[in-house]
Amino acid sequence: MSQAHGRGRFITLEGGEGTGKSTQAARLVAALAQRGVDAIATREPGGSPRAEEIRAVILSGSAERLAPVAEALLFAAARADHVEKTIRPALERGTWVVCDRFADSTRAYQGALGGLDDDTLGALERIAVGDARPDLTLVLDLPAAVGLARASRRRGTGEVDRFEQESLAFHERLRQAFLHIAHRDPQRCAVVDASLDPDAVTASLMCVVDARLVAPHKARERAS
Ligand code: TYD
């Protein structure tokens, strides 16, 4: 992603179930607005009209018998449309984008847990993401049991999507997968403790966003 003056910044939120990503995405957009930064919240799978249709297919369970590579292709198809229709146009007009899940979710779910190899994942990213890579990825970290308890409270007695039916051990492996991704790419990623109350989590996230993106952005604005 070009860091040229005028281009928006791309922030992704990643983590397991119940880590509060969607709540925090909305809060980050509001906090950025307070700093005079125009930003939108979006999500994956989905984030554009056609990608939302693919989301419905993926989460309905009709994709359940797909091999991991076929499932990853569906996520990648949704991502390609989301990037072209929502993310890239926003960044090009100077709007910042805060996305609830992105390519690291494919790396964690279909890669670390589904067994897809790095070459395949890399190829999918080159096609679906291209140069629209995140400037900053915030990994919301939470013990798996806490996240699952939160997710089931949020659902009440409602439906459990097929990804949430997996076992606690699965979710703990997922947590480790996201931590591993962050560890491998510390320039782009930061891990934030998501077990705190929502205000404290937002404050931690904004500390990272301010230090890594907002302050350099303002400095560039002043210099131009
Ligand atoms: P969602 O309801 O967005 O999950 P959450 O509330 O945890 O954010 O459902 C998305 C599910 O799809 C989630 O379980 C993670 C999974 N997923 C993948 O397996 N691969 C991907 O590339 C993405 C974006 C999501």
Side-chain angles (χ1 to χ4, degrees), residues 155-175:
R155 279 192 309 272
T157 53
E159 289 163 40
V160 177
D161 83 36
R162 70 187 187 85
F163 289 95
E164 290 171 340
Q165 291 167 357
E166 312 280 355
S167 70
L168 191 60
F170 176 97
H171 286 86
E172 194 51 52
R173 286 175 60 211
L174 192 57
R175 180 190 191 194

Side-chain angles (χ1 to χ4, degrees), residues 17 21 45 55 75 79 101 105-106 109-110 154 163:
E17 322 284 325
K21 294 179 302 302
R55 175 192 176 91
F75 282 111
R79 183 161 303 132
R101 294 197 184 283
S105 283
T106 306
Y109 283 85
Q110 283 69 49
R154 183 182 63 194
F163 289 95

Side-chain angles (χ1 to χ4, degrees), residues 102-174:
F102 195 62
D104 294 315
S105 283
T106 306
R107 289 202 171 258
Y109 283 85
Q110 283 69 49
L113 286 114
L116 276 200
D117 61 88
D118 277 355
D119 284 352
T120 306
L121 292 163
L124 291 177
E125 274 179 37
R126 275 193 298 284
I127 296 166
V129 177
D131 67 352
R133 287 183 298 277
D135 297 297
L136 174 64
T137 294
L138 298 161
V139 172
L140 274 68
D141 182 53
L142 200 59
V146 179
L148 272 179
R150 280 193 194 171
S152 52
R153 264 203 306 280
R154 183 182 63 194
R155 279 192 309 272
T157 53
E159 289 163 40
V160 177
D161 83 36
R162 70 187 187 85
F163 289 95
E164 290 171 340
Q165 291 167 357
E166 312 280 355
S167 70
L168 191 60
F170 176 97
H171 286 86
E172 194 51 52
R173 286 175 60 211
L174 192 57

Side-chain angles (χ1 to χ4, degrees), residues 25-137:
R27 284 164 163 257
L28 281 189
V29 167
L32 284 167
Q34 283 180 350
R35 284 155 175 72
V37 174
D38 181 35
I40 56 165
T42 186
R43 69 165 180 187
E44 289 212 346
S48 66
R50 293 295 167 259
E52 289 289 331
E53 288 177 8
I54 298 173
R55 175 192 176 91
V57 172
I58 293 171
L59 296 185
S60 72
S62 45
E64 197 153 11
R65 276 180 294 279
L66 287 178
V69 68
E71 185 176 84
L73 286 165
L74 275 185
F75 282 111
R79 183 161 303 132
D81 194 71
H82 183 208
V83 166
E84 285 316 307
K85 301 282 170 36
T86 305
I87 296 173
R88 204 186 293 280
L91 296 175
E92 280 171 1
R93 63 177 185 265
T95 299
W96 293 33
V97 174
V98 179
C99 189
D100 174 359
R101 294 197 184 283
F102 195 62
D104 294 315
S105 283
T106 306
R107 289 202 171 258
Y109 283 85
Q110 283 69 49
L113 286 114
L116 276 200
D117 61 88
D118 277 355
D119 284 352
T120 306
L121 292 163
L124 291 177
E125 274 179 37
R126 275 193 298 284
I127 296 166
V129 177
D131 67 352
R133 287 183 298 277
D135 297 297
L136 174 64
T137 294

